[in-house]
């Protein structure tokens, strides 16, 4: 599979325009003051984080970092940031990390773009479920996709990006860089439905690079529809409810825990920090589930508290955001301060 990464590089180079920046058009959004703990994770001597593309926390306050290093690796830290263990060292489903999430039972789920696999680990690191399949090495080097994508299949992914669950335990996967769909499975991994297809589209219920996904307590599915520069909200049967079009690119989404949930939506600065992107991207928005924007925080920057491509956030506690960054190979904990400013309304279109 390592030989296939060269083809990934070709794909990335060929698709750079799809990752173009987009300035948020919403105006007069109040700033949420915050402080940062940029190096709260304590690594063992001689260990380093690579591209920290995915972060998550469990009910104990432990932090999980799924990162791209010499090998893709999954680290667990305790509530004080002390290193506990590595999960899945040498695991066949790890090649090119994209997402890590923790469910209500503290099971750890990884989404690996390189192996086309979603894996469910128990809290102690035992493999419980696998969705998708890694392309077998016996097939040889896989060419970079050219021309139309192959028809999407129920149980095979094409560079998947994220995973989430509804209150009943149904599983939702955003899939992804070459498919353009969201797939719903039951709690046992049986296919139920999909929205979108292998073909990119711009209508409601269609996607072009669904890059992040989460499910709120009502069972609605929030999708960061990255190359369409929007967020889409779908109902539990994957029918479109609305789109949010004025918050920039649509990089990743996070839904907080508790009886009053909030959504955190990121207009991240893009990979490579192309000219001009620092002036118009990098902020994260806090919203109500109806789309009302409560405030924003953050900006690009090489040094903390700046962000270098926030690829994923954990917002279990809505006042403590854990942000994983690609280009600074860094994880920051952000402590949000209260604000009483008047909220704004996001631009959305209902179905």
């Amino acid at each position: 599979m390592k030989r296939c990464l060269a083809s990934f590089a070709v794909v990335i180079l060929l698709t750079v325009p799809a990752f173009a920046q987009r300035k948020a058009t919403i105006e007069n959004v109040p700033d949420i003051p915050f402080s940062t703990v940029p190096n709260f994770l304590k690594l063992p001597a001689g260990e380093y984080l690579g591209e920290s593309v995915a972060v998550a926390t469990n009910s104990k306050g432990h932090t999980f970092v799924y990162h791209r290093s010499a090998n893709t690796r999954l680290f667990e830290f305790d509530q004080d940031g002390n290193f506990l263990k590595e999960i899945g060292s040498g695991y066949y489903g790890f090649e090119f990390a994209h997402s890590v999430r923790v469910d209500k039972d503290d099971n750890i789920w990884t989404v690996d773009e390189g192996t086309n696999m979603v894996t469910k680990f128990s809290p102690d690191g035992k493999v419980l479920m696998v969705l998708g399949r890694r392309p077998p090495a016996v097939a040889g080097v896989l060419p970079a996709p050219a021309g139309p994508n192959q028809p999407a299949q129920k149980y095979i992914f094409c560079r998947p990006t994220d995973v989430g669950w509804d209150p009943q335990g149904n599983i939702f996967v955003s899939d992804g860089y070459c498919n353009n769909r969201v797939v719903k499975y039951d709690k046992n991994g049986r296919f139920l439905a999909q929205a979108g297809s292998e073909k990119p589209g711009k209508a409601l219920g269609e996607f072009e690079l669904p890059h992040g996904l989460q499910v709120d307590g009502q069972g609605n599915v929030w999708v960061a529809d990255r190359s369409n520069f929007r967020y889409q909200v779908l109902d539990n049967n994957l029918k479109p409810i609305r789109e949010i079009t004025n918050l920039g690119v649509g990089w990743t989404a996070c839904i907080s825990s508790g009886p009053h949930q909030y959504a955190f939506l990121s207009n991240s600065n893009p990979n490579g920090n192309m000219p001009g992107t620092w002036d118009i991207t990098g902020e994260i928005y806090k919203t109500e589930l109806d789309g009302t924007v409560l405030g924003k925080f953050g900006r690009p920057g090489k040094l903390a508290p700046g962000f270098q491509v926030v690829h994923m956030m954990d917002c279990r506690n809505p006042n403590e955001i854990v942000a994983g960054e690609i280009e600074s190979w860094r994880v920051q904990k952000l402590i949000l301060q209260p604000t009483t400013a008047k909220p704004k309304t996001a631009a959305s279109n209902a179905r």
Side-chain angles (χ1 to χ4, degrees):
M1 187 64 190
K2 294 182 183 300
R3 294 175 294 169
C4 297
L5 294 182
S7 67
F8 290 165
V10 173
V11 173
I12 291 169
L13 289 173
L14 293 176
T15 55
V16 164
F19 302 161
Q21 67 272 18
R22 173 72 63 89
K23 182 178 181 179
T25 57
I26 191 170
E27 296 180 342
N28 302 315
V29 176
D31 287 313
I32 300 174
F34 71 96
S35 58
T36 182
V37 186
N39 296 302
F40 76 103
L41 300 181
K42 305 169 185 66
L43 287 155
E47 289 282 11
Y48 299 90
L49 290 179
E51 292 184 343
S52 301
V53 295
V55 291
T57 64
N58 68 10
S59 64
K60 299 177 181 179
H62 293 188
T63 299
F64 300 84
V65 183
Y66 191 38
H67 63 108
R68 303 168 184 167
S69 189
N71 299 299
T72 278
R73 306 176 75 181
L74 176 60
F75 288 171
E76 180 179 356
F77 301 83
D78 70 13
Q79 64 272 21
D80 297 316
N82 299 305
F83 181 84
L84 289 179
K85 64 178 180 289
E86 180 174 0
I87 297 171
S89 177
Y91 176 55
Y92 189 60
F94 287 178
E95 185 68 55
F96 198 66
H98 201 276
S99 174
V100 65
R101 301 286 187 179
V102 176
D103 67 21
K104 63 181 179 60
D105 299 314
D106 279 350
N107 299 305
I108 308 135
W109 296 66
T110 58
V111 181
D112 196 284
E113 181 189 341
T115 62
N116 296 327
M117 288 174 60
V118 177
T119 302
K120 176 184 180 181
F121 294 91
S122 68
D124 60 358
K126 182 182 298 183
V127 175
L128 300 178
M129 181 188 290
V130 171
L131 295 172
R133 189 190 181 199
R134 178 176 180 147
V138 70
V141 177
L142 300 180
N149 293 329
Q150 295 296 312
Q153 302 180 52
K154 292 181 179 179
Y155 299 102
I156 299 295
F157 302 124
C158 192
R159 300 179 67 187
T161 55
D162 212 346
V163 64
W165 316 270
D166 65 14
Q168 291 72 44
N170 294 308
I171 305 161
F172 298 81
V173 177
S174 50
D175 176 40
Y177 274 83
C178 34
N179 284 330
N180 296 278
R181 62 176 182 162
V182 172
V183 193
K184 179 180 179 179
Y185 301 91
D186 70 15
K187 63 182 180 181
N188 298 310
R190 183 172 181 176
F191 176 89
L192 295 176
Q194 75 171 32
S197 70
E198 70 279 1
K199 299 177 181 178
K202 298 187 179 302
L204 288 176
E206 298 178 342
F207 310 95
E208 185 170 359
L209 181 46
H211 192 257
L213 172 150
Q214 283 294 271
V215 185
D216 65 29
Q218 303 168 31
N220 294 327
V221 183
W222 293 62
V223 184
D225 192 6
R226 181 167 154 181
S227 293
N228 278 328
F229 304 107
R230 66 183 177 184
Y231 293 90
Q232 289 198 63
V233 183
L234 314 176
D235 69 16
N236 198 254
N237 295 313
L238 302 183
K239 304 302 181 184
I241 298 174
R242 66 179 181 273
E243 61 180 353
I244 299 172
T245 58
N246 61 347
L247 299 185
V249 175
W251 195 280
T252 189
C254 187
I255 307 293
S256 67
S257 300
H260 189 138
Q261 294 185 299
Y262 299 96
F264 292 84
L265 309 173
S266 177
N267 180 29
S268 184
N269 50 313
N271 297 331
N273 295 285
M274 287 82 81
T277 58
W278 280 22
D279 297 329
I280 63 172
T281 59
E283 74 279 8
I284 296 168
Y285 293 89
K286 179 182 180 181
T287 81
E288 300 281 8
L289 294 190
D290 66 3
T292 301
V293 178
L294 301 175
K296 62 181 175 66
F297 56 94
R299 57 177 175 75
K302 293 286 187 182
L303 299 175
F307 299 147
Q308 276 288 273
V309 191
V310 174
H311 192 268
M312 180 169 284
M313 301 171 285
D314 177 272
C315 60
R316 179 183 293 266
N317 179 343
N319 296 316
E320 293 185 3
I321 308 301
V322 181
E325 303 172 55
I326 297 179
E327 300 210 357
S328 282
W329 299 4
R330 176 172 61 201
V331 175
Q332 293 190 62
K333 179 182 284 188
L334 313 173
I335 311 300
L336 305 189
Q337 306 302 319
T339 179
T340 57
K342 185 177 179 180
K344 304 295 289 185
T345 301
S348 64
N349 297 316
R351 63 180 178 185

